[in-house]
DNA sequence: TTTACTGCAAACATTTTGCAGATGT
DNA sequence: ACATCTGCAAAATGTTTGCAGTAAA
């Protein structure tokens, strides 16, 4: 979860201009509690009174990814989407497979696993990516039955 | 690393027909020591005397993924590709960012981390995906200098 | 024989680009 | 004012589908 202002500020602080389309895009992104695709934004932007063009969406998404406000994630089915996140230290994402909501997670203890992998494989490990999928608390109560699925 | 025969056998055992195009595709896949994209295969197939059409490549890739012989992976840059792997128990992939070679890894210890995440977040965790990137032993010796990059 | 499979070419979907005009700073 | 940014529409990519012919089993 990242507020629209944080995103707008990020543009400003990084020396980008704060334009109407970028403001509108920031709102659209902030309105998502989690994962979304470019297609989602394009559709929503078209529906919104303050339009943002396809090209601008793609271009701004790229900027926001560079700034660390957006991370690309691989969806289980093979597609890919984005999640907004505060550009802090290394973290991973926990995604609700029902509503798309995302939570940032720390995964303490991963580094010792990676060290172990490095030792056993002989690879020099540079980076990694962990994505966790499940049901968020809200969706658990909304659709609790899962025994037997 | 998976041999071409293993792939061919997999088609047969799952009740699919073993055709010339599928044999050719199995060879192409086996020829990769690791990660590849659909584009790679389309290009290689076109270059090969035993052609395999675009459509067949996509269709067969889908089948092989279902059979567990192929896994879709997210490349660091956001794109995606495949790696061939024996359809065994749950495992993850360690990818060389230089040559693309992949190794299957077990990541023992991850489950306790996930349990911890579940407890702290309240999510019910269903699945996860870990991808590790680095330099394989061969590429480490081929391009050892990295101090300062 | 029977029916799954194949290639082609067209349909679709997604992302990128060139450019003239709009708009932040 | 000036350079960045925007939208458009076209182009480049990537993936899927319908169909008539081909070839496993």
């Amino acid at each position: 979860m990242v507020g629209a202002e944080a995103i707008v500020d990020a543009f400003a602080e990084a020396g980008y201009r704060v334009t109407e389309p970028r403001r509108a895009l920031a709102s659209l992104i902030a309105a998502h509690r989690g994962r979304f695709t470019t297609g989602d934004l394009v559709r929503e932007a078209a529906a919104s009174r303050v339009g943002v063009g396809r090209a601008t969406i793609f271009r701004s998404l790229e900027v926001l990814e560079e700034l660390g406000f957006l991370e690309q994630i691989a969806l289980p089915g093979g597609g890919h989407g984005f999640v907004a996140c505060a550009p802090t230290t290394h973290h991973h994402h926990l995604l609700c497979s029902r509503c798309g909501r995302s939570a940032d997670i720390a995964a303490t203890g991963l580094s010792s696993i990676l060290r172990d992998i490095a030792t056993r494989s002989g690879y020099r490990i540079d980076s990694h990516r962990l994505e966790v999928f499940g049901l968020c608390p809200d969706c658990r109560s909304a659709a609790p039955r899962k025994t037997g699925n």
Side-chain angles (χ1 to χ4, degrees), chain A:
Chain A
M1 269 304 294
V2 173
E5 8 253 86
I7 297 176
V8 170
D9 289 352
F11 275 121
E13 277 160 35
Y16 290 94
R17 292 190 178 165
V18 175
T19 65
E20 264 328 298
R22 302 232 249 231
R23 280 181 199 284
L25 185 62
S27 304
L28 290 180
I29 291 174
H32 285 273
R33 307 188 51 172
R35 169 216 72 203
F36 57 87
T37 64
T38 50
D40 292 337
L41 294 183
V42 170
R43 225 168 297 118
E44 292 161 11
S48 132
R49 43 255 151 262
V50 186
V52 187
R54 238 188 320 284
T56 299
I57 290 175
F58 280 93
R59 288 187 277 231
S60 297
L61 249 31
E62 193 183 345
V63 169
L64 287 174
E65 195 179 357
E66 268 164 24
L67 297 182
F69 265 89
L70 237 41
E71 256 172 56
Q72 228 170 334
I73 54 168
L75 277 358
H80 69 293
F82 291 91
V83 287
C85 52
T88 58
T89 48
H90 183 70
H91 64 274
H92 300 283
H93 297 279
L94 173 54
L95 297 163
C96 178
S97 35
R98 189 158 171 278
C99 72
R101 178 161 137 195
S102 90
D104 291 6
I105 53 182
T108 350
L110 230 199
S111 54
S112 75
I113 292 179
L114 294 174
R115 228 177 343 260
D116 188 47
I117 290 171
T119 306
R120 287 204 304 235
S121 66
Y123 275 58
R124 190 198 68 211
I125 294 180
D126 295 328
S127 68
H128 65 279
R129 161 198 294 243
L130 172 67
E131 274 147 27
V132 186
F133 303 94
L135 275 192
C136 73
D138 289 355
C139 290
R140 282 179 78 166
S141 24
R145 83 194 82 288
K146 167 78 181 184
T147 328
N149 281 6

